Structure formats: structure tokens, C-alpha cells
Amino acid sequence: MIPSPSPGRALLTLRGPVGVCAAITPWNFPSAMITRKVAPALAAGCTIVVKPAPATPLSALALAELADRAGIPGGVLNVVCGPAEEIGTELVESPVVRKLSFTGSTAVGRLLMAKAAGTVKRVSLELGGNAPLIVFDDADLDAAVEGAMASKFRNAGQTCVCANRILVQNGVHDEFVARFAEAAAALRVGRGVDEGVEQGPLIDANALRIAQEETFGPVAPVFAFATEEEAIALANRTESGLAAYLFTRDVGRLWRVGQRLEFGVIGANTGLVSYEGAPFGGVKQSGLGREGSRHGLDDYLEIKYLCLDGLAA
């Protein structure tokens, strides 16, 4: 309720479901990418159509089967598999669909956003990243190496929050590189289904780029820097703004740098930041909206203002 400017009048806000939703999801975490979109949609009272990645359709079909077994009514959670462009175009241009949630590349996100303009559709986009990982001279190097390993090599480097550019201050650069290289060399590479394997094969060869584009693979370029200002400038020199990491023992520096980094998710002295209870999403060309936490419900709800007059004083 909003404080009323006059007697006999009540000002209220109501929240209701946005309507039919569509979700287009990637292959790298096929179950998690679907559930983080479907859960808030259902919680808000929306029905949803899921278009999974062509490389991983079975996870989506399994989740639909589990939803049916759990008692979700027919027609509430729907899965459509097939040609990505054809189905995606239908979902994004249909006036029946009132909200689209997409996780994938920035290039495809731009196209979907442009097509959604035709129906003024609400759009949530979790797009590409180019995450910097900054190691300052005063960092705990054991923690920095452990964090860099966790951030860079998770899922063979095939996540949108993987460290893409490791920036190390001059005073600890050589020591960090030596420790990091030793840890990386110890990784067990092989078939992903074999016992003890830590690095399996990539989904395809299209992920091989370094520094300027998102690196979707186990490649870890390291760059030296001299000052805090230079580190911030190098980190922000990208159109992406999804995740960033910094390692320092200086609490003042942690807050200064954390506030100036142009990223939606920042890990301080850790390489693992994902948590379903926290808002996840990017700035700049890494997307719009947030997933996870109570903030993840916002894009699935419409706010209605109700002004009631003529009430007894």
C-alpha cells in the first residue's frame, strides 16, 4: 500500500503473472539453464515454452517428464525441440508470448532483442562474458591460484563466467604464473566419462579465441599490469560485463576495485560465485535482467497500480 495524499483514497500495487513465457537455453548446463528460468515462471503463475539447445535435448525432455510426474498440469511446461532459428523466430515474434528469457551468445541475443521489439516483448538476456581475474601484489597466492583454477577450468572452460583474461600485478606475476602452470599441468585430461578425469573434450572447435572474444575452452592467457588503475582499465576494456574476479588482502582495495569493475557478478578472493540465492546477470552487452534470488521473479511479474477512491474516511 502507498501512503494516500487524501482521505477516502487508497493506493495499492498488485503483482500478477506477465503471461506466456519462452525460454531458449544453451547446452553447457542443460538442466540448470532450464530450471533457473522455469522455476520463477511457474512461481509467478506463468506458463512457459522451453526451446533447448540442439546438442542437449534429452535433459529438457527428462525435466518435462519429471514435471508431469510431479503433477504440473499439462500445457504449463512445454518443450519444443527442432531447428533453432525457425522455432526461436516463432517464439520471439509471437504476440502470445509476452516474455522471452535467453541464455547464449551476444550476437544471437542482439537478434532476438531486435525481433522482440515488434511485439514490445519483455526480454531477459544472459549473454557472453569476457571475465577478468585480477591478482594484486598483496593477494594470498595460494588462494589466487586455487581460485583461478576453479574459475578457468570448470567444465573445461565452457561457462559464461570462466576467467578469460588473468591479470597479475608485476610483483607477483612470475611466481603466480609458475604456480598456476604447475597446477594446470597436473589436471587429468581424458574422456569425460572416465573415473578421475578433470578435463574432458570441448563441445566443438568454435570456441578457440583469446582475450578479445569469449574463450569457451581451457585456455588461460596471463597479462602483467603495474598499477591498480591499469588493472581496472584493462578489466573494463570489453563490451561484455558478466563476471569478474579479484584477489587482494586489502579490504579498502577490494571495495574500491569492486565498485569500479563494470560487471554484474564479482568474486572477491574466490573463483566460484554461482549460487541460486543470489542475483545473476550482466551489464553492458552481457545482457538484461537477473536470474536467481527474489530478484529473479521480477521479470515474470507485471505491476498494476490500483487507485481506490470514494472510500469512507
Side-chain angles (χ1 to χ4, degrees):
M1 180 173 287
I2 302 169
S4 174
S6 59
R9 171 173 285 192
L11 310 179
L12 309 172
T13 56
L14 307 176
R15 291 177 181 265
V18 70
V20 178
C21 300
I24 301 176
T25 59
W27 54 264
N28 55 345
F29 293 98
S31 295
M33 296 295 100
I34 292 172
T35 53
R36 71 196 293 178
K37 299 176 189 303
V38 169
L42 299 186
C46 302
T47 59
I48 187 165
V49 180
V50 176
K51 164 63 180 75
T56 53
L58 299 183
S59 298
L61 295 173
L63 287 171
E65 172 63 20
L66 291 174
D68 182 63
R69 295 184 189 181
I72 301 294
V76 173
L77 171 58
N78 311 273
V79 175
V80 180
C81 301
E85 184 175 357
E86 181 179 338
I87 296 172
T89 297
E90 179 62 29
L91 291 175
V92 79
E93 293 183 349
S94 170
V96 175
V97 175
R98 295 310 311 148
K99 185 253 185 328
L100 170 72
S101 180
F102 169 74
T103 298
S105 72
T106 299
V108 174
R110 291 191 194 108
L111 291 174
L112 292 173
M113 189 175 181
K115 291 182 177 181
T119 53
V120 195
K121 198 183 309 298
R122 186 175 296 187
V123 176
S124 296
L125 303 172
E126 197 260 276
L127 307 177
N130 193 354
L133 187 148
I134 308 170
V135 181
F136 289 100
D137 282 346
D138 59 5
D140 178 334
L141 284 192
D142 289 334
V145 170
E146 181 181 352
M149 292 294 295
S151 173
K152 175 66 262 182
F153 295 109
R154 183 187 181 199
N155 199 35
Q158 299 173 116
T159 89
C160 53
V161 295
C162 277
N164 271 242
R165 301 166 292 142
I166 300 176
L167 312 175
V168 186
Q169 200 160 14
N170 289 337
V172 293
H173 175 271
D174 292 349
E175 184 178 357
F176 174 87
V177 169
R179 291 195 194 185
F180 185 58
E182 182 180 1
L187 288 172
R188 288 165 289 184
V189 180
R191 297 174 70 247
V193 295
D194 289 349
E195 185 71 25
V197 168
E198 297 171 294
Q199 295 290 289
L202 298 181
I203 189 73
D204 56 42
N206 294 328
L208 303 178
R209 307 285 180 271
I210 291 180
Q212 297 302 314
E213 298 182 21
E214 183 176 19
T215 307
F216 234 58
V219 180
V222 181
F223 305 89
F225 69 88
T227 66
E228 183 177 303
E229 285 293 321
E230 183 184 4
I232 294 170
L234 288 170
N236 289 338
R237 194 178 297 165
T238 172
E239 66 181 22
S240 302
L242 186 55
Y245 307 86
L246 69 148
F247 289 82
T248 178
R249 288 189 176 100
D250 186 331
V251 176
R253 169 177 277 166
L254 187 155
W255 284 105
R256 281 195 311 274
V257 177
Q259 289 176 341
R260 293 182 62 190
L261 287 174
E262 298 169 352
F263 298 84
V265 177
I266 298 175
N269 297 321
T270 179
L272 297 174
V273 294
S274 295
Y275 169 57
E276 66 275 10
F280 183 90
V283 299
K284 298 196 286 189
Q285 294 195 35
S286 281
L288 304 168
R290 293 294 181 268
E291 292 184 333
S293 79
R294 63 182 178 83
H295 302 290
L297 278 173
D298 292 345
D299 281 340
Y300 294 88
L301 293 169
E302 295 282 14
I303 298 178
K304 184 181 296 183
Y305 162 50
L306 186 58
C307 179
L308 304 177
D309 212 342
L311 303 177

